[in-house]
Amino acid sequence: ETRGEAAARQRKSPGAAPSQVLARVDPRTAMDTIAAEVDRLGPLGPAYFSAVYVAAEVLALPAVPLTASAGYLFGAVEGTAVVLFSATIAAGVSFLIGRSLLRKWVEDIAGESEQFQAIDRAVAAEGFKIILLLRLSPIFPFALSNYFYGLTAVEFGPYLLATLLGFAPGTFLYVYSGEVASVAAGAGADGAAYPWYVYAGVLSVGAFVAAQVTDVATKVLEETGGIVADDD
Protein backbone atom coordinates (compact mmCIF):
# COMPACT_ATOMS: atom_id res chain seq x y z
CA GLU A 1 0.00 0.00 0.00
CA THR A 2 1.38 3.39 -1.03
CA ARG A 3 1.39 6.45 1.23
CA GLY A 4 -1.30 8.04 -0.91
CA GLU A 5 -3.57 5.01 -0.58
CA ALA A 6 -3.03 4.90 3.18
CA ALA A 7 -3.86 8.58 3.51
CA ALA A 8 -7.01 8.14 1.43
CA ARG A 9 -8.11 5.20 3.57
CA GLN A 10 -7.65 7.24 6.75
CA ARG A 11 -9.71 10.11 5.30
CA LYS A 12 -12.55 7.70 4.54
CA SER A 13 -12.67 6.44 8.14
CA PRO A 14 -11.99 9.46 10.41
CA GLY A 15 -13.62 7.77 13.42
CA ALA A 16 -11.19 4.88 13.47
CA ALA A 17 -8.18 6.78 14.80
CA PRO A 18 -9.69 8.05 18.10
CA SER A 19 -11.23 4.69 18.95
CA GLN A 20 -7.96 2.90 18.22
CA VAL A 21 -6.05 5.36 20.40
CA LEU A 22 -8.46 4.86 23.33
CA ALA A 23 -8.31 1.09 22.93
CA ARG A 24 -4.53 1.19 23.28
CA VAL A 25 -4.55 3.29 26.47
CA ASP A 26 -3.48 1.33 29.54
CA PRO A 27 -5.65 2.50 32.49
CA ARG A 28 -2.90 1.96 35.06
CA THR A 29 -0.38 3.90 33.02
CA ALA A 30 -2.91 6.67 32.48
CA MET A 31 -3.62 6.93 36.22
CA ASP A 32 0.10 7.00 37.02
CA THR A 33 0.60 9.76 34.45
CA ILE A 34 -2.25 11.81 35.91
CA ALA A 35 -0.95 11.37 39.46
CA ALA A 36 2.57 12.41 38.43
CA GLU A 37 1.23 15.49 36.63
CA VAL A 38 -0.90 16.50 39.62
CA ASP A 39 2.16 16.23 41.84
CA ARG A 40 4.32 18.19 39.39
CA LEU A 41 1.81 21.04 39.06
CA GLY A 42 1.57 21.61 42.80
CA PRO A 43 -1.21 24.16 43.57
CA LEU A 44 -2.53 23.79 40.01
CA GLY A 45 -2.82 20.02 40.40
CA PRO A 46 -6.51 20.04 41.40
CA ALA A 47 -7.37 22.20 38.37
CA TYR A 48 -5.57 19.76 36.05
CA PHE A 49 -7.29 16.80 37.70
CA SER A 50 -10.65 18.54 37.33
CA ALA A 51 -10.08 19.15 33.62
CA VAL A 52 -9.19 15.48 33.06
CA TYR A 53 -12.24 14.37 35.05
CA VAL A 54 -14.63 16.60 33.11
CA ALA A 55 -13.22 15.37 29.80
CA ALA A 56 -13.57 11.72 30.88
CA GLU A 57 -17.20 12.17 31.94
CA VAL A 58 -18.19 14.10 28.81
CA LEU A 59 -16.62 11.36 26.68
CA ALA A 60 -18.44 8.74 28.82
CA LEU A 61 -15.19 7.09 29.88
CA PRO A 62 -15.03 5.18 33.20
CA ALA A 63 -14.41 7.76 35.94
CA VAL A 64 -14.56 5.54 39.03
CA PRO A 65 -10.75 5.06 39.10
CA LEU A 66 -10.33 8.84 38.91
CA THR A 67 -12.83 9.33 41.72
CA ALA A 68 -11.03 6.92 44.02
CA SER A 69 -7.63 8.34 43.10
CA ALA A 70 -8.78 11.78 44.29
CA GLY A 71 -8.71 10.44 47.85
CA TYR A 72 -5.18 9.19 47.33
CA LEU A 73 -4.02 12.45 45.78
CA PHE A 74 -5.88 15.09 47.78
CA GLY A 75 -7.40 13.41 50.83
CA ALA A 76 -11.09 12.80 51.52
CA VAL A 77 -12.28 16.39 52.00
CA GLU A 78 -10.44 18.17 49.20
CA GLY A 79 -10.78 15.16 46.93
CA THR A 80 -14.54 15.05 47.39
CA ALA A 81 -14.80 18.77 46.66
CA VAL A 82 -12.71 18.45 43.49
CA VAL A 83 -14.68 15.47 42.20
CA LEU A 84 -18.08 16.97 43.03
CA PHE A 85 -17.16 20.20 41.27
CA SER A 86 -15.81 18.33 38.23
CA ALA A 87 -18.72 15.87 38.00
CA THR A 88 -21.27 18.67 38.26
CA ILE A 89 -19.53 20.68 35.52
CA ALA A 90 -19.37 17.57 33.33
CA ALA A 91 -23.04 16.84 33.97
CA GLY A 92 -23.94 20.37 32.95
CA VAL A 93 -21.86 20.24 29.77
CA SER A 94 -23.30 16.87 28.71
CA PHE A 95 -26.82 18.04 29.57
CA LEU A 96 -26.47 21.07 27.29
CA ILE A 97 -24.90 19.02 24.50
CA GLY A 98 -27.74 16.48 24.73
CA ARG A 99 -30.26 19.31 24.59
CA SER A 100 -28.65 20.97 21.57
CA LEU A 101 -25.81 19.53 19.45
CA LEU A 102 -26.58 15.81 19.91
CA ARG A 103 -30.31 16.16 20.47
CA LYS A 104 -31.34 14.19 17.38
CA TRP A 105 -28.97 11.31 18.21
CA VAL A 106 -30.10 11.17 21.84
CA GLU A 107 -33.78 11.38 20.81
CA ASP A 108 -33.36 8.41 18.46
CA ILE A 109 -31.96 6.28 21.29
CA ALA A 110 -34.33 7.52 24.00
CA GLY A 111 -37.36 7.03 21.77
CA GLU A 112 -36.82 3.27 21.87
CA SER A 113 -36.67 3.14 25.69
CA GLU A 114 -39.88 2.81 27.68
CA GLN A 115 -37.83 3.36 30.80
CA PHE A 116 -36.63 6.76 29.62
CA GLN A 117 -40.15 7.73 28.60
CA ALA A 118 -41.27 6.96 32.16
CA ILE A 119 -38.44 9.14 33.48
CA ASP A 120 -39.43 11.91 31.10
CA ARG A 121 -43.00 11.90 32.42
CA ALA A 122 -41.85 11.80 36.05
CA VAL A 123 -39.34 14.62 35.55
CA ALA A 124 -42.02 16.75 33.89
CA ALA A 125 -44.06 16.45 37.10
CA GLU A 126 -41.30 16.56 39.74
CA GLY A 127 -38.04 17.48 38.06
CA PHE A 128 -35.71 18.20 40.98
CA LYS A 129 -36.99 15.33 43.13
CA ILE A 130 -36.73 12.69 40.39
CA ILE A 131 -33.26 13.77 39.27
CA LEU A 132 -32.09 13.74 42.90
CA LEU A 133 -33.45 10.23 43.43
CA LEU A 134 -31.91 9.02 40.18
CA ARG A 135 -28.52 10.35 41.29
CA LEU A 136 -28.83 8.61 44.66
CA SER A 137 -29.91 5.34 43.03
CA PRO A 138 -27.33 4.04 40.52
CA ILE A 139 -29.91 2.82 38.01
CA PHE A 140 -28.21 4.45 35.03
CA PRO A 141 -24.56 5.15 34.16
CA PHE A 142 -23.77 8.70 35.32
CA ALA A 143 -22.00 9.93 32.19
CA LEU A 144 -24.53 8.66 29.62
CA SER A 145 -27.58 9.66 31.66
CA ASN A 146 -26.48 13.30 31.56
CA TYR A 147 -27.15 13.41 27.81
CA PHE A 148 -30.59 11.86 28.20
CA TYR A 149 -31.64 14.25 30.97
CA GLY A 150 -31.05 17.05 28.48
CA LEU A 151 -34.20 15.89 26.69
CA THR A 152 -36.38 16.16 29.79
CA ALA A 153 -38.32 19.19 30.97
CA VAL A 154 -36.12 19.80 34.02
CA GLU A 155 -34.56 23.27 34.17
CA PHE A 156 -30.78 23.61 34.14
CA GLY A 157 -30.39 25.10 37.63
CA PRO A 158 -32.46 22.50 39.53
CA TYR A 159 -30.79 19.77 37.47
CA LEU A 160 -27.31 20.87 38.54
CA LEU A 161 -28.34 21.21 42.20
CA ALA A 162 -29.98 17.78 42.23
CA THR A 163 -26.88 16.32 40.60
CA LEU A 164 -24.56 17.91 43.15
CA LEU A 165 -26.60 16.77 46.15
CA GLY A 166 -27.41 13.32 44.82
CA PHE A 167 -23.87 12.58 43.72
CA ALA A 168 -22.32 13.68 47.04
CA PRO A 169 -22.77 10.52 49.20
CA GLY A 170 -21.38 8.09 46.66
CA THR A 171 -18.58 10.46 45.70
CA PHE A 172 -17.40 10.83 49.28
CA LEU A 173 -17.45 7.06 49.71
CA TYR A 174 -15.33 6.42 46.61
CA VAL A 175 -12.91 9.24 47.42
CA TYR A 176 -12.60 8.12 51.02
CA SER A 177 -11.86 4.58 49.87
CA GLY A 178 -8.90 6.01 47.96
CA GLU A 179 -7.61 7.68 51.12
CA VAL A 180 -8.08 4.46 53.10
CA ALA A 181 -6.14 2.54 50.46
CA SER A 182 -3.37 5.13 50.69
CA VAL A 183 -3.15 4.80 54.47
CA ALA A 184 -3.34 0.99 54.36
CA ALA A 185 -0.56 0.88 51.77
CA GLY A 186 1.60 3.12 53.94
CA ALA A 187 1.74 5.95 51.40
CA GLY A 188 -0.12 8.32 53.70
CA ALA A 189 0.77 6.71 57.00
CA ASP A 190 3.05 9.55 58.13
CA GLY A 191 0.23 12.09 57.95
CA ALA A 192 -2.55 9.80 59.16
CA ALA A 193 -4.21 10.79 62.42
CA TYR A 194 -5.37 7.24 63.17
CA PRO A 195 -4.33 3.65 62.36
CA TRP A 196 -5.51 2.26 59.02
CA TYR A 197 -8.16 0.04 60.63
CA VAL A 198 -9.97 3.09 62.04
CA TYR A 199 -10.27 4.49 58.51
CA ALA A 200 -11.42 1.09 57.26
CA GLY A 201 -14.09 0.97 59.97
CA VAL A 202 -15.39 4.41 59.02
CA LEU A 203 -15.46 3.31 55.39
CA SER A 204 -17.52 0.23 56.31
CA VAL A 205 -20.05 2.36 58.20
CA GLY A 206 -20.20 4.81 55.32
CA ALA A 207 -20.80 2.01 52.84
CA PHE A 208 -23.65 0.68 54.98
CA VAL A 209 -25.29 4.12 55.24
CA ALA A 210 -24.85 4.74 51.51
CA ALA A 211 -26.47 1.37 50.75
CA GLN A 212 -29.47 2.29 52.89
CA VAL A 213 -29.84 5.65 51.15
CA THR A 214 -29.63 3.93 47.76
CA ASP A 215 -32.29 1.39 48.77
CA VAL A 216 -34.66 4.13 49.93
CA ALA A 217 -34.17 6.13 46.71
CA THR A 218 -34.71 3.02 44.59
CA LYS A 219 -37.91 2.10 46.43
CA VAL A 220 -39.30 5.60 45.91
CA LEU A 221 -38.46 5.35 42.21
CA GLU A 222 -40.15 1.94 42.04
CA GLU A 223 -43.37 3.64 43.05
CA THR A 224 -43.07 5.79 39.94
CA GLY A 225 -44.15 3.27 37.34
CA GLY A 226 -41.67 2.29 34.63
CA ILE A 227 -38.52 3.98 35.95
CA VAL A 228 -37.05 0.94 37.66
CA ALA A 229 -36.98 -1.97 35.24
CA ASP A 230 -38.87 -5.07 36.38
CA ASP A 231 -36.51 -8.01 36.92
CA ASP A 232 -39.24 -10.31 35.67
Side-chain angles (χ1 to χ4, degrees), residues 20-66:
Q20 289 174 358
V21 169
L22 288 175
R24 286 195 293 264
V25 172
D26 177 43
R28 185 180 182 85
T29 301
M31 293 305 303
D32 289 344
T33 301
I34 292 169
E37 193 66 14
V38 167
D39 184 61
R40 185 186 71 81
L41 289 173
L44 294 178
Y48 167 80
F49 182 91
S50 180
V52 172
Y53 196 102
V54 170
E57 287 286 12
V58 171
L59 293 173
L61 299 176
V64 170
L66 277 173

Short mmCIF file of all heavy atoms in Angstrom, two decimals, residues 20-66:
data_model
loop_
_atom_site.label_atom_id
_atom_site.label_comp_id
_atom_site.label_asym_id
_atom_site.label_seq_id
_atom_site.Cartn_x
_atom_site.Cartn_y
_atom_site.Cartn_z
N GLN A 20 -9.15 3.74 18.12
CA GLN A 20 -7.96 2.90 18.22
C GLN A 20 -7.01 3.43 19.28
O GLN A 20 -6.39 2.66 20.02
CB GLN A 20 -7.25 2.82 16.87
CG GLN A 20 -8.02 2.02 15.83
CD GLN A 20 -7.38 2.08 14.46
OE1 GLN A 20 -6.38 2.77 14.28
NE2 GLN A 20 -7.96 1.38 13.50
N VAL A 21 -6.92 4.75 19.37
CA VAL A 21 -6.05 5.36 20.40
C VAL A 21 -6.56 5.01 21.79
O VAL A 21 -5.80 4.61 22.67
CB VAL A 21 -5.99 6.89 20.22
CG1 VAL A 21 -5.31 7.54 21.43
CG2 VAL A 21 -5.24 7.24 18.94
N LEU A 22 -7.89 5.17 22.02
CA LEU A 22 -8.46 4.86 23.33
C LEU A 22 -8.30 3.39 23.69
O LEU A 22 -8.09 3.04 24.85
CB LEU A 22 -9.95 5.25 23.33
CG LEU A 22 -10.26 6.75 23.34
CD1 LEU A 22 -11.76 6.97 23.21
CD2 LEU A 22 -9.72 7.42 24.59
N ALA A 23 -8.42 2.53 22.67
CA ALA A 23 -8.31 1.09 22.93
C ALA A 23 -6.90 0.71 23.37
O ALA A 23 -6.70 -0.27 24.08
CB ALA A 23 -8.70 0.31 21.68
N ARG A 24 -5.91 1.51 22.94
CA ARG A 24 -4.53 1.19 23.28
C ARG A 24 -4.07 1.81 24.60
O ARG A 24 -2.96 1.55 25.04
CB ARG A 24 -3.60 1.65 22.15
CG ARG A 24 -3.67 0.77 20.91
CD ARG A 24 -2.49 1.04 20.00
NE ARG A 24 -2.55 2.38 19.42
CZ ARG A 24 -3.04 2.65 18.22
NH1 ARG A 24 -3.54 1.66 17.49
NH2 ARG A 24 -3.07 3.87 17.76
N VAL A 25 -4.92 2.63 25.22
CA VAL A 25 -4.55 3.29 26.47
C VAL A 25 -4.61 2.29 27.62
O VAL A 25 -5.61 1.62 27.82
CB VAL A 25 -5.48 4.48 26.77
CG1 VAL A 25 -5.22 5.04 28.16
CG2 VAL A 25 -5.29 5.57 25.72
N ASP A 26 -3.52 2.19 28.36
CA ASP A 26 -3.48 1.33 29.54
C ASP A 26 -3.97 2.13 30.74
O ASP A 26 -3.37 3.16 31.09
CB ASP A 26 -2.05 0.85 29.78
CG ASP A 26 -1.94 0.01 31.05
OD1 ASP A 26 -2.83 -0.83 31.28
OD2 ASP A 26 -0.98 0.22 31.82
N PRO A 27 -5.08 1.72 31.39
CA PRO A 27 -5.65 2.50 32.49
C PRO A 27 -4.65 2.77 33.61
O PRO A 27 -4.61 3.88 34.14
CB PRO A 27 -6.81 1.61 32.97
CG PRO A 27 -7.18 0.79 31.79
CD PRO A 27 -5.89 0.54 31.07
N ARG A 28 -3.86 1.77 33.97
CA ARG A 28 -2.90 1.96 35.06
C ARG A 28 -1.85 3.01 34.70
O ARG A 28 -1.51 3.87 35.51
CB ARG A 28 -2.23 0.63 35.41
CG ARG A 28 -1.31 0.71 36.62
CD ARG A 28 -0.67 -0.63 36.93
NE ARG A 28 0.17 -0.55 38.11
CZ ARG A 28 -0.28 -0.68 39.34
NH1 ARG A 28 -1.57 -0.89 39.56
NH2 ARG A 28 0.54 -0.59 40.38
N THR A 29 -1.36 2.93 33.47
CA THR A 29 -0.38 3.90 33.02
C THR A 29 -0.98 5.30 32.99
O THR A 29 -0.33 6.28 33.38
CB THR A 29 0.14 3.54 31.62
OG1 THR A 29 0.73 2.23 31.66
CG2 THR A 29 1.17 4.54 31.14
N ALA A 30 -2.23 5.38 32.53
CA ALA A 30 -2.91 6.67 32.48
C ALA A 30 -3.06 7.27 33.87
O ALA A 30 -2.82 8.47 34.08
CB ALA A 30 -4.28 6.52 31.82
N MET A 31 -3.45 6.44 34.85
CA MET A 31 -3.62 6.93 36.22
C MET A 31 -2.29 7.37 36.80
O MET A 31 -2.21 8.39 37.50
CB MET A 31 -4.24 5.84 37.09
CG MET A 31 -5.68 5.49 36.73
SD MET A 31 -6.77 6.92 36.74
CE MET A 31 -6.55 7.52 38.41
N ASP A 32 -1.23 6.62 36.54
CA ASP A 32 0.10 7.00 37.02
C ASP A 32 0.55 8.32 36.42
O ASP A 32 1.16 9.17 37.10
CB ASP A 32 1.12 5.90 36.67
CG ASP A 32 0.93 4.64 37.51
OD1 ASP A 32 0.23 4.72 38.53
OD2 ASP A 32 1.46 3.58 37.10
N THR A 33 0.23 8.51 35.14
CA THR A 33 0.60 9.76 34.45
C THR A 33 -0.15 10.94 35.06
O THR A 33 0.43 12.01 35.30
CB THR A 33 0.28 9.66 32.95
OG1 THR A 33 1.01 8.57 32.39
CG2 THR A 33 0.65 10.94 32.23
N ILE A 34 -1.45 10.75 35.31
CA ILE A 34 -2.25 11.81 35.91
C ILE A 34 -1.75 12.16 37.30
O ILE A 34 -1.60 13.34 37.65
CB ILE A 34 -3.73 11.39 35.96
CG1 ILE A 34 -4.31 11.30 34.55
CG2 ILE A 34 -4.55 12.38 36.79
CD1 ILE A 34 -5.68 10.64 34.48
N ALA A 35 -1.45 11.14 38.10
CA ALA A 35 -0.95 11.37 39.46
C ALA A 35 0.38 12.12 39.44
O ALA A 35 0.60 13.04 40.24
CB ALA A 35 -0.79 10.04 40.19
N ALA A 36 1.27 11.75 38.53
CA ALA A 36 2.57 12.41 38.43
C ALA A 36 2.40 13.87 38.01
O ALA A 36 3.09 14.77 38.52
CB ALA A 36 3.45 11.67 37.42
N GLU A 37 1.45 14.12 37.10
CA GLU A 37 1.23 15.49 36.63
C GLU A 37 0.61 16.34 37.73
O GLU A 37 0.96 17.52 37.89
CB GLU A 37 0.32 15.46 35.40
CG GLU A 37 0.27 16.77 34.63
CD GLU A 37 1.60 17.13 33.98
OE1 GLU A 37 2.48 16.26 33.89
OE2 GLU A 37 1.74 18.30 33.56
N VAL A 38 -0.30 15.77 38.50
CA VAL A 38 -0.90 16.50 39.62
C VAL A 38 0.18 16.89 40.63
O VAL A 38 0.21 18.02 41.12
CB VAL A 38 -1.98 15.63 40.31
CG1 VAL A 38 -2.38 16.24 41.66
CG2 VAL A 38 -3.21 15.52 39.42
N ASP A 39 1.07 15.96 40.91
CA ASP A 39 2.16 16.23 41.84
C ASP A 39 3.11 17.29 41.29
O ASP A 39 3.56 18.18 42.02
CB ASP A 39 2.91 14.94 42.13
CG ASP A 39 4.00 15.12 43.18
OD1 ASP A 39 3.66 15.50 44.32
OD2 ASP A 39 5.18 14.91 42.86
N ARG A 40 3.39 17.24 40.01
CA ARG A 40 4.32 18.19 39.39
C ARG A 40 3.76 19.60 39.39
O ARG A 40 4.49 20.58 39.58
CB ARG A 40 4.63 17.75 37.96
CG ARG A 40 5.69 18.60 37.26
CD ARG A 40 5.86 18.21 35.81
NE ARG A 40 4.72 18.61 35.00
CZ ARG A 40 4.54 19.84 34.52
NH1 ARG A 40 5.43 20.80 34.77
NH2 ARG A 40 3.48 20.13 33.78
N LEU A 41 2.44 19.72 39.19
CA LEU A 41 1.81 21.04 39.06
C LEU A 41 1.59 21.74 40.40
O LEU A 41 1.29 22.92 40.44
CB LEU A 41 0.48 20.90 38.32
CG LEU A 41 0.59 20.57 36.84
CD1 LEU A 41 -0.79 20.28 36.25
CD2 LEU A 41 1.25 21.71 36.08
N GLY A 42 1.71 20.99 41.49
CA GLY A 42 1.57 21.61 42.80
C GLY A 42 0.18 22.20 43.02
O GLY A 42 -0.82 21.50 42.90
N PRO A 43 0.09 23.53 43.31
CA PRO A 43 -1.21 24.16 43.57
C PRO A 43 -2.20 24.06 42.40
O PRO A 43 -3.40 24.15 42.59
CB PRO A 43 -0.84 25.63 43.84
CG PRO A 43 0.59 25.59 44.27
CD PRO A 43 1.21 24.47 43.49
N LEU A 44 -1.67 23.90 41.19
CA LEU A 44 -2.53 23.79 40.01
C LEU A 44 -2.96 22.35 39.75
O LEU A 44 -3.72 22.09 38.83
CB LEU A 44 -1.81 24.34 38.78
CG LEU A 44 -1.52 25.85 38.78
CD1 LEU A 44 -0.77 26.23 37.53
CD2 LEU A 44 -2.82 26.64 38.89
N GLY A 45 -2.48 21.43 40.58
CA GLY A 45 -2.82 20.02 40.40
C GLY A 45 -4.30 19.74 40.42
O GLY A 45 -4.81 19.03 39.53
N PRO A 46 -5.06 20.28 41.39
CA PRO A 46 -6.51 20.04 41.40
C PRO A 46 -7.21 20.54 40.14
O PRO A 46 -8.15 19.90 39.66
CB PRO A 46 -6.98 20.82 42.64
CG PRO A 46 -5.80 20.84 43.54
CD PRO A 46 -4.62 20.96 42.61
N ALA A 47 -6.75 21.67 39.59
CA ALA A 47 -7.37 22.20 38.37
C ALA A 47 -7.11 21.26 37.19
O ALA A 47 -8.01 21.01 36.37
CB ALA A 47 -6.81 23.59 38.06
N TYR A 48 -5.89 20.72 37.12
CA TYR A 48 -5.57 19.76 36.05
C TYR A 48 -6.41 18.50 36.21
O TYR A 48 -6.98 17.99 35.24
CB TYR A 48 -4.08 19.42 36.11
CG TYR A 48 -3.69 18.22 35.29
CD1 TYR A 48 -3.51 18.34 33.91
CD2 TYR A 48 -3.51 16.97 35.88
CE1 TYR A 48 -3.16 17.23 33.14
CE2 TYR A 48 -3.16 15.86 35.12
CZ TYR A 48 -2.99 16.00 33.75
OH TYR A 48 -2.67 14.91 32.99
N PHE A 49 -6.49 18.00 37.43
CA PHE A 49 -7.29 16.80 37.70
C PHE A 49 -8.74 17.03 37.31
O PHE A 49 -9.38 16.17 36.71
CB PHE A 49 -7.19 16.44 39.18
CG PHE A 49 -7.93 15.18 39.56
CD1 PHE A 49 -7.28 13.96 39.55
CD2 PHE A 49 -9.27 15.22 39.94
CE1 PHE A 49 -7.96 12.79 39.89
CE2 PHE A 49 -9.94 14.06 40.28
CZ PHE A 49 -9.28 12.84 40.26
N SER A 50 -9.26 18.20 37.65
CA SER A 50 -10.65 18.54 37.33
C SER A 50 -10.88 18.54 35.83
O SER A 50 -11.90 18.03 35.34
CB SER A 50 -11.01 19.90 37.92
OG SER A 50 -12.34 20.25 37.63
N ALA A 51 -9.94 19.10 35.08
CA ALA A 51 -10.08 19.15 33.62
C ALA A 51 -10.10 17.74 33.03
O ALA A 51 -10.91 17.44 32.13
CB ALA A 51 -8.93 19.96 33.01
N VAL A 52 -9.22 16.87 33.53
CA VAL A 52 -9.19 15.48 33.06
C VAL A 52 -10.50 14.78 33.40
O VAL A 52 -11.07 14.04 32.58
CB VAL A 52 -8.00 14.72 33.69
CG1 VAL A 52 -8.08 13.23 33.36
CG2 VAL A 52 -6.69 15.30 33.19
N TYR A 53 -11.00 15.02 34.60
CA TYR A 53 -12.24 14.37 35.05
C TYR A 53 -13.42 14.81 34.19
O TYR A 53 -14.24 13.97 33.77
CB TYR A 53 -12.50 14.72 36.52
CG TYR A 53 -13.50 13.82 37.20
CD1 TYR A 53 -13.08 12.80 38.04
CD2 TYR A 53 -14.87 13.97 36.99
CE1 TYR A 53 -13.98 11.97 38.68
CE2 TYR A 53 -15.79 13.13 37.60
CZ TYR A 53 -15.34 12.14 38.45
OH TYR A 53 -16.24 11.31 39.07
N VAL A 54 -13.53 16.09 33.93
CA VAL A 54 -14.63 16.60 33.11
C VAL A 54 -14.56 15.99 31.71
O VAL A 54 -15.59 15.54 31.16
CB VAL A 54 -14.57 18.14 33.02
CG1 VAL A 54 -15.56 18.66 31.96
CG2 VAL A 54 -14.89 18.77 34.37
N ALA A 55 -13.37 15.94 31.14
CA ALA A 55 -13.22 15.37 29.80
C ALA A 55 -13.62 13.90 29.78
O ALA A 55 -14.31 13.44 28.86
CB ALA A 55 -11.77 15.52 29.33
N ALA A 56 -13.23 13.15 30.81
CA ALA A 56 -13.57 11.72 30.88
C ALA A 56 -15.08 11.52 30.96
O ALA A 56 -15.64 10.65 30.27
CB ALA A 56 -12.88 11.08 32.08
N GLU A 57 -15.75 12.31 31.78
CA GLU A 57 -17.20 12.17 31.94
C GLU A 57 -17.94 12.57 30.66
O GLU A 57 -18.89 11.90 30.25
CB GLU A 57 -17.69 13.02 33.12
CG GLU A 57 -17.33 12.47 34.48
CD GLU A 57 -18.15 11.24 34.86
OE1 GLU A 57 -18.84 10.67 34.00
OE2 GLU A 57 -18.09 10.84 36.03
N VAL A 58 -17.53 13.65 30.04
CA VAL A 58 -18.19 14.10 28.81
C VAL A 58 -18.02 13.07 27.70
O VAL A 58 -18.92 12.85 26.89
CB VAL A 58 -17.64 15.48 28.37
CG1 VAL A 58 -18.15 15.85 26.98
CG2 VAL A 58 -18.05 16.56 29.38
N LEU A 59 -16.88 12.41 27.68
CA LEU A 59 -16.62 11.36 26.68
C LEU A 59 -17.17 10.00 27.10
O LEU A 59 -16.99 9.00 26.40
CB LEU A 59 -15.11 11.24 26.42
CG LEU A 59 -14.45 12.45 25.75
CD1 LEU A 59 -12.94 12.27 25.72
CD2 LEU A 59 -15.00 12.66 24.35
N ALA A 60 -17.84 9.98 28.27
CA ALA A 60 -18.44 8.74 28.82
C ALA A 60 -17.41 7.65 29.05
O ALA A 60 -17.68 6.46 28.85
CB ALA A 60 -19.56 8.24 27.89
N LEU A 61 -16.22 8.05 29.51
CA LEU A 61 -15.19 7.09 29.88
C LEU A 61 -15.34 6.75 31.36
O LEU A 61 -15.84 7.56 32.14
CB LEU A 61 -13.79 7.67 29.63
CG LEU A 61 -13.48 8.05 28.17
CD1 LEU A 61 -12.11 8.72 28.08
CD2 LEU A 61 -13.52 6.82 27.28
N PRO A 62 -14.90 5.56 31.79
CA PRO A 62 -15.03 5.18 33.20
C PRO A 62 -14.29 6.17 34.11
O PRO A 62 -13.09 6.38 33.95
CB PRO A 62 -14.38 3.79 33.25
CG PRO A 62 -14.48 3.29 31.84
CD PRO A 62 -14.33 4.48 30.96
N ALA A 63 -15.00 6.75 35.06
CA ALA A 63 -14.41 7.76 35.94
C ALA A 63 -14.24 7.29 37.37
O ALA A 63 -13.72 8.02 38.20
CB ALA A 63 -15.26 9.04 35.92
N VAL A 64 -14.68 6.06 37.67
CA VAL A 64 -14.56 5.54 39.03
C VAL A 64 -13.10 5.50 39.50
O VAL A 64 -12.79 5.91 40.63
CB VAL A 64 -15.21 4.15 39.15
CG1 VAL A 64 -14.88 3.52 40.50
CG2 VAL A 64 -16.73 4.28 39.02
N PRO A 65 -12.16 5.03 38.66
CA PRO A 65 -10.75 5.06 39.10
C PRO A 65 -10.27 6.47 39.42
O PRO A 65 -9.52 6.67 40.38
CB PRO A 65 -9.99 4.47 37.90
CG PRO A 65 -11.00 3.63 37.19
CD PRO A 65 -12.29 4.37 37.34
N LEU A 66 -10.70 7.45 38.64
CA LEU A 66 -10.33 8.84 38.91
C LEU A 66 -10.92 9.30 40.24
O LEU A 66 -10.26 9.98 41.02
CB LEU A 66 -10.82 9.75 37.78
CG LEU A 66 -9.96 9.87 36.53
CD1 LEU A 66 -10.69 10.67 35.47
CD2 LEU A 66 -8.62 10.51 36.86
#
